[in-house]
Amino acid sequence: MGVPRSSGCMLCVQRRVKCDERRPGCTRCETYGRPCPGYEKRFKFVVGKPFRSQRRLGLSVGQTQGVGEPNIVSSNMRDGSQAIQQSLIQSGPWSLQSVFSNLMQSLDILIDDVSHPFPASSTYTAARWFNFLPVVYGKNRTLDATIKCFAAHHVGMMTENKQAIWFARSTYVEALNRLQRSLYNATESLSSEILCAVLLQCLYELFANTYDATSWMKQAKGLSQLVEARGCGRYQTEFEHTLLKASRGLIVMHSVFSGEKCFLASSDWHTVMRQQFDFTLAAELYVLVEDLFGFYTAIPSLLHQLYGFKKEASEGATTRSRASELLTQALDIQDKLAAWYEKLIHAVPPPTESLSSMRDTLYPIVYSFSDVDTATIFSAYYSYMAIIHAALRLCQYPGDHAAMVAYFRDQICKSVEYNARGLLGPYRLGFPLRVAYEFADPVTKVWVESWLQRLSRTYAAMLPRNYR
């Protein structure tokens, strides 16, 4: 038992965030709509190993694990388990009932785990929208059920509690039933709360569904239709704009796999998404991120052209116009990315090389980045370039494009160890690892599958069978 050393308010200390120490109550608590508990110091319990330890996760083929080697997923899960235990210990023995009588506390822990192990300043849109969940909870029953579902699943996974995981599944059924009714209500269906619920349900499918590899696609299709139906003019508040940006990766991926056109590729949607409501990123880097996402919205069209061309070639039915169209599009994106990359390397530090902390045998030298946002940006760039060179190779454009595809594939793989950390690590790596797997030789494919197996323990969408 000890005394907290931080001078911040008790809630900020509990959430492990910086407190501005304003009197009588801090600004952060006010922002979250929570009464500030003040600055009186209390005793806290320090508990060691409150739950049984996680199983050791699988390693790459031919790889052995050394003493003290970090385990990326399980170490995070142990941290989450201990945080939950410590935060609920004053309520008595841990139970599912105690968690949901303290749902806000559970959400605070979820938000902390989403950004872990990176500082809050490095949680761009992919994680930042979770901060709104405590504020919007209680405003809509469909969203409330969805939040309970996602929080219960997180608690269950962090503590290996099957009761919590089953509670999440049953609450998800309730959330789906409520969503169906909400969508029949003309006013409620277009509300920000329903958009948030659909986005969170899609993430639940990605994290939890080990049975149906296409289930997230159904949710992503609904998310795409809802975002488009609401129209460009509905994203004028920070909350709605953040939801739009958190949704767009899923919308693009749905377009890639469904073969449907990506509506976000239009100039009107680009204009909406370029608005800056938060200043987590500096203005210069924010513009570069938005430029990169503009290229990302063109990727579905390029991939559809690429695979259409490959299919026609295999059937001996290729046309000059098809090849010309694919080549023109690939060269256009390549030129834009080249100019963009020159700006990027002057705005952010490039990755540095270091020895793999996991003693990787295939990639013993890996990349470290200044922060998770930069790592995500570089990984996306490597992915786009691999796709572009694959298209140029298929069009028989001059140059050693096979070598360039392999080079950018390896750049992705060298970035995985850094990017895989934390609860959202698998989410950030979904597209880059898909690209790496697509262009992998047999040895690299085995390596990618070992990572997929490891990450799928918390992110079901990455089960290796879903990539084959």
Side-chain angles (χ1 to χ4, degrees):
M1 186 170 71
V3 179
R5 288 175 291 178
S6 173
S7 58
C9 78
M10 297 306 298
L11 187 55
C12 286
V13 170
Q14 180 188 65
R15 296 189 64 250
R16 305 190 298 281
V17 296
K18 183 174 177 58
C19 179
D20 64 2
E21 300 181 32
R22 189 188 70 178
R23 307 281 175 164
C26 77
T27 305
R28 189 175 289 274
C29 288
E30 182 180 292
T31 301
Y32 279 93
R34 304 279 299 279
C36 183
Y39 302 87
E40 178 185 356
K41 301 303 179 206
R42 304 173 185 170
F43 292 107
K44 66 176 182 178
F45 289 87
V46 180
V47 182
K49 289 189 177 179
F51 299 102
R52 66 185 179 88
S53 61
Q54 294 284 328
R55 293 175 295 174
R56 305 300 284 179
L57 300 183
L59 300 167
S60 324
V61 172
Q63 195 177 347
T64 59
Q65 185 161 7
V67 177
E69 178 182 336
N71 189 306
I72 289 175
V73 178
S74 62
S75 62
N76 183 41
M77 293 174 75
R78 285 195 295 271
D79 289 345
S81 300
Q82 190 172 15
I84 292 169
Q85 176 70 8
Q86 290 178 354
S87 65
L88 297 176
I89 196 167
Q90 293 182 348
S91 301
W94 188 90
S95 67
L96 187 61
Q97 182 178 1
S98 69
V99 169
F100 287 100
S101 64
N102 296 277
L103 181 62
M104 287 300 176
Q105 195 173 39
S106 298
L107 280 176
D108 287 341
I109 294 164
L110 170 62
I111 291 166
D112 286 341
D113 287 345
V114 161
S115 60
H116 178 85
F118 305 101
S121 60
S122 294
T123 55
Y124 188 45
T125 308
R128 204 175 66 83
W129 72 278
F130 281 90
N131 289 289
F132 289 96
L133 296 184
V135 180
V136 297
Y137 182 78
K139 293 185 177 181
N140 180 278
R141 290 185 177 183
T142 300
L143 178 56
D144 288 353
T146 306
I147 290 174
K148 286 181 181 180
C149 161
F150 198 86
H153 177 76
H154 178 68
V155 168
M157 293 299 294
M158 295 302 103
T159 61
E160 294 186 321
N161 187 284
K162 293 182 179 180
Q163 183 187 14
I165 293 172
W166 279 108
F167 179 88
R169 291 177 185 173
S170 63
T171 309
Y172 183 55
V173 174
E174 176 193 347
L176 287 174
N177 289 332
R178 288 190 178 278
L179 177 62
Q180 189 174 29
R181 293 195 293 270
S182 296
L183 292 175
Y184 280 108
N185 184 311
T187 302
E188 186 183 5
S189 63
L190 298 179
S191 68
S192 58
E193 289 79 18
I194 294 303
L195 176 60
C196 186
V198 173
L199 172 59
L200 197 56
Q201 287 181 20
C202 190
L203 283 182
Y204 173 76
E205 291 282 0
L206 287 165
F207 274 94
N209 197 322
T210 59
Y211 306 103
D212 183 0
T214 64
S215 61
W216 73 271
M217 281 282 290
K218 300 168 188 174
Q219 288 288 356
K221 181 177 182 178
L223 180 65
S224 301
Q225 292 174 336
L226 183 57
V227 168
E228 186 175 19
R230 297 177 89 245
C232 294
R234 294 293 292 261
Y235 305 95
Q236 300 302 316
T237 67
E238 184 180 7
F239 177 48
E240 296 210 342
H241 197 255
T242 303
L243 288 177
L244 172 62
K245 289 193 171 183
S247 301
R248 60 190 186 178
L250 294 166
I251 293 172
V252 171
M253 291 309 295
H254 171 263
S255 177
V256 166
F257 291 114
S258 68
E260 297 176 11
K261 183 178 179 180
C262 181
F263 68 88
L264 291 179
S266 74
S267 59
D268 287 344
W269 283 101
H270 284 183
T271 300
V272 172
M273 291 184 291
R274 283 180 177 276
Q275 298 178 85
Q276 187 169 8
F277 285 84
D278 72 278
F279 296 89
T280 305
L281 297 182
E284 181 184 10
L285 185 54
Y286 183 89
V287 170
L288 287 171
V289 169
E290 291 309 310
D291 286 344
L292 183 65
F293 193 83
F295 305 143
Y296 186 40
T297 60
I299 290 296
S301 174
L302 181 63
L303 284 172
H304 298 161
Q305 291 273 8
L306 177 63
Y307 287 110
F309 186 92
K310 288 178 70 174
K311 182 180 179 181
E312 288 183 0
S314 67
E315 297 172 351
T318 54
T319 63
R320 182 170 296 180
S321 61
R322 165 78 84 170
S324 176
E325 187 176 353
L326 175 60
L327 179 60
T328 299
Q329 189 174 2
L331 289 174
D332 178 59
I333 299 177
Q334 183 186 39
D335 290 343
K336 290 177 179 177
L337 273 173
W340 173 89
Y341 188 73
E342 286 299 315
K343 296 178 183 177
L344 177 70
I345 58 178
H346 288 94
V348 300
T352 57
E353 292 186 335
S354 60
L355 289 173
S356 167
S357 62
M358 302 183 73
R359 303 178 185 180
D360 196 291
T361 55
L362 187 60
Y363 294 99
I365 304 298
V366 297
Y367 284 147
S368 293
F369 299 86
S370 57
D371 56 67
V372 66
D373 294 322
T374 303
T376 305
I377 292 168
F378 274 97
S379 294
Y381 168 75
Y382 301 147
S383 303
Y384 303 167
M385 291 302 292
I387 293 170
I388 288 167
H389 282 285
L392 295 177
R393 179 190 180 193
L394 194 62
C395 293
Q396 298 182 340
Y397 189 75
D400 192 354
H401 299 293
M404 294 305 296
V405 169
Y407 169 78
F408 284 110
R409 177 204 68 206
D410 290 342
Q411 299 295 91
I412 294 170
C413 295
K414 291 168 70 173
S415 306
V416 168
E417 191 169 307
Y418 182 94
N419 240 338
R421 294 179 295 169
L423 185 65
L424 290 184
Y427 182 75
R428 290 190 299 270
L429 284 170
F431 179 66
L433 275 180
R434 171 69 70 172
V435 173
Y437 191 81
E438 183 70 20
F439 301 124
D441 55 50
V443 174
T444 308
K445 189 161 287 190
V446 171
W447 183 92
V448 173
E449 288 183 350
S450 72
W451 268 104
L452 295 175
Q453 186 62 47
R454 181 184 291 115
L455 297 173
S456 67
R457 294 184 183 275
T458 54
Y459 192 74
M462 279 193 163
L463 285 165
R465 67 170 181 264
N466 296 341
Y467 277 61
R468 295 175 185 138

